[in-house]
């Protein structure tokens, strides 16, 4: 079974584009068994997408939450988590029984990337060892090395904002998704997002910023 655990819907107001139904339709067409919808600072997109879940397709409700040190993803959430300190956000995820995941750590081009220190590993369940939108692959390698060194679940995610990106990176497993994540019983795969898609995202953000003035 294939899962993409980093997908954004239109509920990522600044940069999101896809409607929930479109996410599910596209993922099923690509042969995925499920996705995690991880919109910025909200679980609304995940909840809306979960309405299209089927017996053979799983939707994980998540959120990519801003902290004072950078972004943290919570997976398997049921309640909103407000931006705050790293410690407060991690605690809020854990109190829901969620999975604490660091997205695109060490990415030198993202001001929102969290650069973990060794002591942080005790608060983290997983790390993106491959984020398809990381332009410098050395940053992905640094993340993967950190995860392996500190016995974290090292996953891959597409960070999809457009339909063509869904399933571009993810994990393969045979069993329950959460159990396999926590036991690190999965394999990763991924390909880099095209520069054209990066340009499309920048254009969308600039257009929305201009329209909001």
């Amino acid at each position: 079974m294939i899962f993409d655990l980093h997908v954004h819907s239109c509920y990522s107001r600044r940069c999101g584009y896809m409607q929930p139904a479109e996410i599910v339709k596209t993922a099923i067409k690509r042969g995925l068994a499920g996705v995690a919808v991880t919109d910025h600072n909200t679980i609304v997109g995940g909840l809306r997408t979960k309405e299209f879940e089927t017996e053979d397709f799983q939707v994980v409700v998540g959120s990519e939450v801003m902290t004072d040190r950078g972004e943290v993803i919570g997976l398997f959430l049921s309640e909103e988590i407000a931006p705050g300190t790293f410690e407060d956000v991690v605690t809020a995820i854990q109190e829901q029984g969620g999975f604490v995941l660091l997205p695109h750590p060490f990415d030198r081009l993202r001001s929102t990337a969290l650069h973990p220190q060794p002591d942080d590993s005790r608060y983290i369940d997983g790390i993106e060892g491959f984020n398809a939108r990381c332009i410098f692959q050395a940053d992905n390698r640094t993340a993967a090395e950190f995860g392996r060194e500190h016995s974290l679940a090292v996953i891959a995610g597409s960070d999809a904002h457009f339909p063509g990106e869904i399933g571009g990176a993810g994990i393969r497993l045979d069993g329950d998704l959460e159990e396999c994540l926590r036991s690190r019983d999965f394999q990763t795969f991924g390909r880099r997002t095209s520069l054209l898609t990066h340009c499309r995202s920048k254009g969308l953000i600039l257009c929305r910023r201009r329209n909001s003035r």
Side-chain angles (χ1 to χ4, degrees):
M1 295 186 293
I2 300 173
F3 291 84
D4 186 343
L5 299 179
H6 192 164
V7 175
H8 291 273
S9 80
C10 59
Y11 290 91
S12 284
R13 299 295 183 184
R14 176 173 168 269
C15 59
Y17 174 81
M18 295 182 285
Q19 295 292 326
E22 182 180 26
I23 292 173
V24 174
K25 182 179 179 180
T26 303
I28 290 175
K29 185 177 181 180
R30 298 235 167 99
L32 273 63
V35 296
V37 177
T38 55
D39 287 315
H40 294 290
N41 301 315
T42 183
I43 64 170
V44 174
L47 293 173
R48 296 289 183 269
T49 308
K50 199 168 183 66
E51 294 174 6
F52 298 94
E53 191 175 56
T54 71
E55 184 177 338
D56 300 316
F57 187 85
Q58 181 178 358
V59 175
V60 175
V61 177
S63 181
E64 189 169 9
V65 185
M66 180 57 71
T67 78
D68 58 341
R69 294 177 53 195
E71 290 175 319
V72 175
I73 284 178
L75 299 177
F76 308 104
L77 302 180
S78 56
E79 299 178 7
E80 294 281 23
I81 295 177
T85 67
F86 173 73
E87 292 79 7
D88 286 347
V89 169
V90 167
T91 298
I93 294 170
Q94 292 172 337
E95 286 177 347
Q96 294 187 40
F99 186 91
V100 180
L101 173 68
L102 291 191
H104 48 68
F106 303 109
D107 188 336
R108 70 191 78 178
L109 296 182
R110 299 195 214 203
S111 61
T112 59
L114 192 153
H115 295 249
Q117 301 300 310
D119 190 54
D120 294 328
S121 61
R122 59 191 174 127
Y123 302 109
I124 303 164
D125 299 308
I127 192 169
E128 275 187 340
F130 181 85
N131 179 289
R133 282 187 163 228
C134 279
I135 291 177
F136 292 101
Q137 292 310 293
D139 298 340
N140 275 333
R141 289 193 292 271
T142 298
E145 290 167 4
F146 181 93
R148 288 191 293 267
E149 181 179 351
H150 297 285
S151 301
L152 304 175
V154 180
I155 75 154
S158 71
D159 202 351
H161 289 66
F162 300 105
E165 297 177 87
I166 294 176
I171 62 174
R172 293 187 178 93
L173 54 89
D174 184 14
D176 178 79
L177 172 60
E178 185 170 4
E179 289 180 2
C180 288
L181 278 176
R182 294 194 182 280
S183 64
R184 304 168 184 80
D185 185 15
F186 57 83
Q187 297 177 322
T188 61
F189 68 92
R191 65 177 185 275
R192 295 169 65 183
T193 299
S194 72
L195 291 177
L196 182 61
T197 300
H198 283 283
C199 292
R200 188 181 180 191
S201 280
K202 291 295 184 184
L204 179 64
I205 292 170
L206 290 173
C207 181
R208 289 180 175 172
R209 185 180 298 164
R210 184 170 59 248
N211 291 338
S212 67
R213 291 175 181 171

